[in-house]
Amino acid sequence: MDYTAQLDAAISRLHDEGRYRTFIDIERKRGQFPHATWRKDDGTDTPVTVWCGNDYLGMGQHPAVLAAMHEAVDATGAGSGGTRNISGTTVYHKRLEAELASLHQKEAALLFTSAYIANDATLSTLPKLFPGLIIYSDALNHASMIEGVRRNGGAKRIFRHNDLDHLRALLAADDPAAPKLIAFESIYSMDGDFAPIEAICDLADEFGALTYIDEVHAVGMYGPQGAGVAARDGLMGRIDIINGTLAKAYGVMGGYIAASEKMCDATRSYAPGFIFTTSLPPAVAAGAAASVALLKTDDGLRLQHQTQAKILKLRLKGMGLPIIDHGSHIVPLIVGDPVHTKKLSDMLLSEFGIYVQPINFPTVPRGTERLRFTPSPVHGPREMDALVSALDNLWSHCALNRAELAG
């Protein structure tokens, strides 16, 4: 076996399909979000405006968050020193878990190094806790949920995206006595659409199923205190397990589940992804706890965020651009071809200093390739005008001219 040749072939396939992903080196500027510096391959620095970041509210630069992190570093040093089971549980981790349990009005919360790990570890562990468990998973669930369901060794059913009739049919076809769990997201990040949470909870009650919701793109931004879409809709008490992230609206890093005390206790005791992973640095936990506490009281920042998203969508619609609008803060602009999407992204960066990463298969289905914009309170009128002007220029004159783009 020529291993190098196999690697070359695998990478070449991505280039041939226009799906090869490139990363640009950026340095975010504290106090100047969403502005950053792009370090080019030739070593020169160029200012850019980031339009695809997940620090939705700019909390990664909030003075109180930074102060909490500095204080923890000065008090404890850099790392946690171990897994949660072996010396890696600190007062900062416990404080953050208490803050998250309070946020979601659950008995407990369990902290992981990322929301990906939280989903994967929890969903792959649940069949150990409930033998014979059948997991009903939305077809557009995040890769971390798909991986957790795939690895758990139990039965799974995939229902068509947000299709309640299909979900009902699958539930009705299985043994009424079998343990069941419905796994879904509150906001689906690629299209920005919402799940029919209440109807799913009704089906769960009818068929005796647990509910598992991924609120990664909603925590901090929706509902009272930023507890998510389920909280906004008055349904949080009907959700058994809530997954969230600390790396998006909260501006730091980490993931978690919030659930009953027994559910969290059993998960931490059986999930390899929790047991064998070094815990988050105390400074990260301290910053995240400060961010969660702050956003519990800042409805104004959430309203400003929603306003910015509405303004951008309204302006892009006014230009006739093919955006998807389901009423959330996510603004996908459909290009529909991987090569064109990459070239449009490259033009925005090189000609206008606007950074938005192309999103291609397998993240989205072929033919729906897109640019996904994430407006925030730190994107002001100047940044909005520059983006709209750049898109108008490229879209109207060259960006969708296939002959030019292919040249």
Side-chain angles (χ1 to χ4, degrees):
M1 169 67 72
D2 186 339
Y3 295 103
T4 300
Q6 290 297 310
L7 293 174
D8 287 340
I11 294 172
S12 293
R13 286 195 297 272
L14 297 178
H15 281 290
D16 292 343
E17 296 174 18
R19 294 196 295 116
Y20 182 77
R21 302 183 186 206
T22 58
F23 305 140
I24 72 166
D25 296 335
I26 63 171
E27 181 182 0
R28 302 206 299 168
K29 299 295 184 181
R30 178 171 59 87
Q32 301 177 38
F33 290 5
H35 300 289
T37 297
W38 167 31
R39 174 64 56 86
K40 294 183 177 180
D41 292 339
D42 63 6
T44 60
D45 291 340
T46 300
V48 297
T49 302
V50 179
W51 271 99
C52 58
N54 284 334
D55 188 354
Y56 287 133
L57 302 178
M59 295 301 290
Q61 65 179 356
H62 196 289
V65 175
L66 301 183
M69 297 183 75
H70 281 296
E71 180 182 342
V73 166
D74 291 340
T76 70
S80 69
T83 66
R84 289 293 297 273
N85 292 331
I86 305 176
S87 81
T89 294
T90 70
V91 294
Y92 300 98
H93 296 87
K94 298 301 289 184
R95 187 180 303 158
L96 175 54
E97 287 175 337
E99 194 74 67
L100 293 167
S102 170
L103 173 69
H104 292 293
Q105 299 176 22
K106 298 297 184 186
E107 294 176 348
L110 191 62
L111 184 62
F112 293 80
T113 51
S114 72
Y116 187 108
I117 298 298
N119 271 333
D120 185 8
T122 304
L123 288 168
S124 63
T125 297
L126 288 173
K128 301 176 186 176
L129 308 177
F130 306 103
L133 179 70
I134 304 170
I135 296 183
Y136 303 81
S137 179
D138 188 286
L140 293 190
N141 277 341
H142 188 265
S144 59
M145 301 174 76
I146 294 170
E147 185 65 12
V149 172
R150 185 189 68 80
R151 289 197 313 106
N152 67 31
K156 65 178 183 292
R157 312 282 186 262
I158 310 302
F159 62 93
R160 292 185 292 271
H161 178 54
N162 280 350
D163 189 329
L164 297 171
D165 291 335
H166 190 211
L167 175 57
R168 167 181 283 280
L170 292 173
L171 287 162
D174 283 320
D175 181 356
K180 302 174 177 66
L181 179 139
I182 305 172
F184 60 103
E185 300 184 40
S186 61
I187 300 176
Y188 291 86
S189 62
M190 288 302 108
D191 285 349
D193 56 328
F194 294 89
I197 301 175
E198 184 172 17
I200 289 175
C201 289
D202 289 343
L203 285 174
D205 289 345
E206 181 180 348
F207 290 94
L210 296 170
T211 48
Y212 184 109
I213 191 170
D214 179 313
E215 289 260 33
V216 159
H217 288 274
V219 290
M221 298 181 291
Y222 293 81
Q225 300 187 319
V229 177
R232 180 199 69 179
D233 296 346
L235 300 167
M236 195 161 56
R238 299 182 67 184
I239 303 295
D240 294 295
I241 305 173
I242 298 172
N243 169 276
T245 186
L246 302 164
K248 292 184 170 60
Y250 294 118
V252 192
M253 179 185 176
Y256 63 89
I257 61 167
S260 69
E261 179 69 45
K262 291 184 184 296
M263 185 72 76
C264 289
D265 189 21
T267 301
R268 77 168 183 88
S269 300
Y270 282 85
F274 178 86
I275 296 170
F276 298 105
T277 300
T278 299
S279 63
L280 286 172
V284 172
S291 187
V292 173
L294 281 164
L295 286 179
K296 283 182 175 179
T297 64
D298 201 340
D299 286 330
L301 195 58
R302 279 186 280 280
L303 290 172
Q304 188 180 355
H305 178 247
Q306 291 293 323
T307 297
Q308 292 300 91
K310 289 176 182 176
I311 290 172
L312 179 59
K313 287 187 284 189
L314 184 64
R315 294 189 67 176
L316 296 184
K317 286 179 183 177
M319 294 162 56
L321 299 188
I323 70 164
I324 299 174
D325 183 8
H326 289 288
S328 73
H329 61 282
I330 294 169
V331 186
L333 174 61
I334 303 300
V335 181
D337 178 272
V339 174
H340 295 183
T341 306
K342 177 67 166 61
K343 289 201 173 183
L344 182 55
S345 171
D346 289 345
M347 290 179 194
L348 285 168
L349 181 63
S350 62
E351 297 179 23
F352 297 93
I354 291 171
Y355 174 47
V356 55
Q357 189 74 359
I359 299 178
N360 298 321
F361 178 84
T363 307
V364 296
R366 297 181 191 275
T368 69
E369 291 82 5
R370 67 197 63 187
L371 301 176
R372 185 185 60 168
F373 299 96
T374 53
S376 75
V378 295
H379 290 92
R382 179 166 61 93
E383 290 81 12
M384 191 86 70
D385 288 346
L387 173 63
V388 170
S389 175
L391 285 173
D392 186 37
N393 182 300
L394 293 178
W395 201 274
S396 300
H397 296 99
C398 65
L400 289 187
N401 185 314
R402 292 179 178 267
E404 290 186 27
L405 284 170

